[in-house]
């Protein structure tokens, strides 16, 4: 008797079902075995690190080390094409690291090796926020190196006083103990320091001149500027290799002989930036009389760079130093508008025939501003000799309005200064061309020249 097709089909399905149940049971057993093995591994890791095992869907470790809260877990990130497992370590400072300071990765990974250009790379790739004085105090050079490695190598960040980093791989594969030790060391180094001593440390030992400058600036603000650390930092920085640092140190110690010496040295330093040289020179009059640096002022009138020259011109103008007139006259051909305008002002401050002659020459300058300043200078110190050069500017049909007004004012002022000249005896006429000109009193009263 032959078996029916239905019986064979049922037998086949029964066998398939039996095997599927057996396979599912084996899978559950294997999964439980693996979970037990993972739990055992986590517990072993925890015992080695002094942390407690935390059972959950994704087990982890938690505990306290040196006052820092520590949590370790496993994070899986999956996409349609791949899956990655990361080991995450979180270190909570419990308020010991300032909550207002934050660190995060700004750009993709980069080689965070210290050396030339390290500051530029650090600033470009590590986002740092928080009060500047606290950030400067916390981030010494060694700490910046550690932060750079942490941010680049562990996608690390600091938020609200908590450090978080993650590494690709299972906890048993990433060298968890070393990673935790590194993160704890970084957390200790970020504990809020006493700011003045930390800033002093930067000034003395940080290889980055910009950090030394910013630390000095932070120490310069009151009441911190009166601290012993500020005084030590300023004194140490007077001999710094960076001229900007020396300048800030001299400012911090002003007024003092040491400060004046450094400022004068910076003003003479042809290798320094001209803006820095000018700034240093500008601060000398605030500390000492002009006579003590008059030679330097005259010397800088022939220096390279119009910024330095302008500073020197201002100084001799305020001092009304006639000994500088020859050096000032040498600048009359300048093409720099600001220098030419400052030169005209200084010549008017000094006055005299020699200054007047240079002012007259500036009436032919290319810059309208310089010509206006020259006319304004002659308004103050011009004599009858300046009238003839002023007339074309005062009467010209196509002369700039401001320049024409300045020239006319200068002529009228010269009229008023002429001894014995009554009102109207020196005047400009706007009548027909054949009658235009200058009307003067007889020459006799002018024999003594300008007042």
């Amino acid at each position: 008797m032959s078996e029916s097709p239905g019986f064979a089909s049922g037998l086949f399905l029964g066998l398939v079902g039996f095997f599927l149940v057996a396979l599912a049971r084996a899978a559950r057993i294997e999964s439980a075995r693996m979970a037990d093995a993972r739990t055992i591994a986590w517990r072993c890791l925890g015992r080695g690190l002094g942390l407690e095992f935390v059972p959950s869907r994704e087990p982890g470790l938690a505990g306290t080390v040196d006052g820092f809260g520590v949590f370790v877990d496993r994070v899986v990130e999956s996409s349609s094409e791949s899956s990655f497992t990361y080991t995450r370590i979180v270190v909570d400072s419990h308020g010991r690291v300032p909550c207002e300071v934050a660190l995060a990765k700004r750009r993709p990974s980069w080689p965070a090796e210290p050396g030339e250009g390290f500051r530029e790379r650090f600033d470009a790739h590590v986002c740092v926020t928080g009060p500047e004085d606290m950030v400067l105090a916390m981030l010494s050079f060694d700490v910046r190196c550690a932060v750079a490695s942490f941010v680049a190598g562990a996608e690390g960040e600091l938020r609200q006083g908590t450090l978080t980093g993650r590494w690709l791989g299972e906890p048993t594969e990433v060298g968890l103990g070393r990673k935790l030790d590194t993160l704890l060391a970084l957390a200790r180094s970020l504990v809020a320091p006493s700011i003045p001593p930390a800033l002093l440390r930067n000034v003395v030992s940080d290889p980055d001149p910009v950090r030394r400058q910013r630390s000095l600036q932070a120490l310069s603000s009151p009441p911190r500027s009166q601290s012993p650390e500020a005084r030590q930092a300023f004194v140490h920085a007077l001999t710094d290799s960076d001229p900007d640092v020396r300048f800030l140190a001299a400012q911090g110690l002003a007024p003092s002989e040491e400060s004046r010496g450094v400022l004068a040295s910076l003003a003479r330093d042809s290798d320094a930036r001209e803006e820095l040289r000018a700034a240093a020179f500008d601060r000398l009059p605030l500390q000492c009389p002009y006579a003590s640096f008059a030679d330097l002022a005259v010397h800088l009138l022939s220096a390279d760079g119009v910024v330095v020259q302008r500073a020197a011109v201002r100084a001799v103008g305020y001092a009304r130093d006639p000994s500088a007139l020859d050096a000032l006259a040498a600048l009359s051909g300048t093409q720099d508008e600001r220098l030419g305008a400052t030169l005209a002002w200084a010549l008017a401050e000094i006055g005299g025939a020699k200054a007047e002659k240079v002012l007259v020459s500036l009436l032919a300058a290319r810059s309208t501003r310089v010509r206006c300043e020259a006319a304004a200078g002659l308004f103050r110190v011009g004599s009858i000799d300046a009238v003839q050069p002023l007339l074309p500017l005062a009467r010209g049909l196509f002369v700039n309005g401001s320049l024409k007004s300045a020239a006319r004012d200068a002529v009228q002022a010269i009229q008023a200064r002429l001894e014995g000249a009554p009102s109207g005896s020196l005047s400009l006429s706007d009548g027909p061309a054949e009658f235009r000109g200058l009307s003067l009193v007889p020459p006799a009263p002018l024999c003594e020249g300008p007042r």
Side-chain angles (χ1 to χ4, degrees):
M1 180 176 172
S2 61
E3 296 180 354
S4 68
F7 174 79
S9 176
L11 179 63
F12 175 76
L13 290 175
L15 290 174
V16 170
F18 172 79
F19 282 117
L20 288 175
V21 170
L23 186 61
R25 181 180 180 187
R28 287 196 300 272
I29 293 173
E30 179 62 18
S31 177
R33 187 186 69 78
M34 291 180 63
D36 289 341
R38 186 180 301 119
T39 298
I40 293 171
W42 276 102
R43 290 183 183 278
C44 290
L45 284 172
R47 282 195 296 270
L49 299 173
L51 303 175
E52 296 291 331
F53 174 69
V54 179
S56 64
R57 181 180 177 184
E58 283 293 340
L61 303 173
T64 301
V65 180
D66 293 341
F68 295 98
V70 176
F71 180 74
V72 182
D73 67 351
R74 177 175 172 270
V75 178
V76 178
E77 291 187 357
S78 301
S79 66
S80 58
E81 298 179 354
S82 58
S83 177
F84 298 96
T85 299
Y86 295 90
T87 297
R88 180 172 59 186
I89 303 178
V90 179
V91 175
D92 186 349
S93 70
H94 297 312
R96 296 163 66 186
V97 176
C99 292
E100 60 266 36
V101 176
L103 304 168
K105 188 175 184 179
R106 194 191 298 273
R107 293 184 184 177
S109 297
W110 54 281
E113 298 298 328
E116 186 177 0
F118 175 73
R119 171 174 54 84
E120 290 79 6
R121 298 202 310 275
F122 182 91
D123 292 342
H125 297 284
V126 181
C127 178
V128 183
T129 59
E132 184 174 26
D133 56 352
M134 179 60 73
V135 169
L136 288 168
M138 290 172 60
L139 299 184
S140 67
F141 180 71
D142 290 339
V143 173
R144 295 199 303 278
C145 292
V147 167
S149 297
F150 169 62
V151 168
E155 298 183 5
E157 64 176 20
L158 170 67
R159 302 284 183 193
Q160 297 295 313
T162 298
L163 284 166
T164 303
R166 66 177 195 170
W167 292 265
L168 184 64
E170 297 282 350
T172 54
E173 300 169 349
V174 299
L176 185 59
R178 293 192 304 274
K179 297 292 190 294
L180 179 58
D181 288 343
T182 299
L183 206 52
L184 286 169
L186 179 58
R188 294 186 194 99
S189 68
L190 291 172
V191 170
S194 176
I195 292 180
L199 295 175
L200 171 60
R201 172 208 63 209
N202 291 350
V203 172
V204 171
S205 63
D206 200 298
D208 182 1
V210 174
R211 295 280 174 168
R212 300 199 299 274
Q213 293 168 31
R214 291 168 62 186
S215 296
L216 280 174
Q217 290 169 338
L219 284 169
S220 299
S221 59
R224 200 173 288 146
S225 58
Q226 304 303 315
S227 66
E229 291 84 1
R231 170 74 185 179
Q232 294 176 51
F234 295 145
V235 170
H236 184 276
L238 284 176
T239 57
D240 195 277
S241 59
D242 183 77
D244 290 276
V245 173
R246 297 199 299 274
F247 173 70
L248 291 171
Q251 283 189 287
L253 291 173
S256 67
E257 184 176 350
E258 302 101 311
S259 174
R260 292 191 291 272
V262 169
L263 291 174
S265 174
L266 287 171
R268 290 182 182 276
D269 187 358
S270 59
D271 292 328
R273 292 181 297 108
E274 63 172 308
E275 293 81 6
L276 178 65
R277 296 176 66 190
F281 181 76
D282 280 340
R283 281 156 179 76
L284 283 174
L286 303 177
Q287 297 195 42
C288 53
Y290 173 79
S292 64
F293 62 89
D295 291 343
L296 175 60
V298 175
H299 169 74
L300 293 182
L301 289 174
S302 59
D304 292 332
V306 295
V307 177
V308 178
Q309 290 175 328
R310 283 183 64 214
V313 169
R314 284 194 300 268
V316 299
Y318 282 122
R320 297 176 178 173
D321 181 7
S323 69
L325 281 172
D326 288 337
L328 290 174
L331 296 174
S332 61
T334 180
Q335 298 301 308
D336 184 84
E337 183 178 76
R338 293 183 299 171
L339 177 57
T342 306
L343 175 62
W345 165 83
L347 290 166
E349 287 291 317
I350 297 171
K354 187 178 291 187
E356 179 187 20
K357 184 178 179 180
V358 182
L359 283 170
V360 168
S361 72
L362 290 176
L363 292 175
R366 295 177 58 185
S367 165
T368 299
R369 177 185 172 187
V370 174
R371 299 167 80 188
C372 285
E373 291 291 343
L378 292 170
F379 174 93
R380 298 171 57 192
V381 301
S383 70
I384 189 65
D385 295 332
V387 172
Q388 192 63 36
L390 284 166
L391 285 178
L393 303 179
R395 301 184 308 186
L397 186 60
F398 301 105
V399 176
N400 174 274
S402 297
L403 178 56
K404 179 183 288 189
S405 177
R408 293 177 66 91
D409 289 346
V411 171
Q412 292 170 5
I414 292 171
Q415 169 193 350
R417 283 195 295 271
L418 291 176
E419 184 175 7
S423 177
S425 61
L426 176 62
S427 63
L428 292 172
S429 171
D430 288 322
E434 62 269 25
F435 297 110
R436 286 184 201 164
L438 189 64
S439 160
L440 293 172
V441 297
L446 302 179
C447 62
E448 295 181 6
R451 293 181 181 177

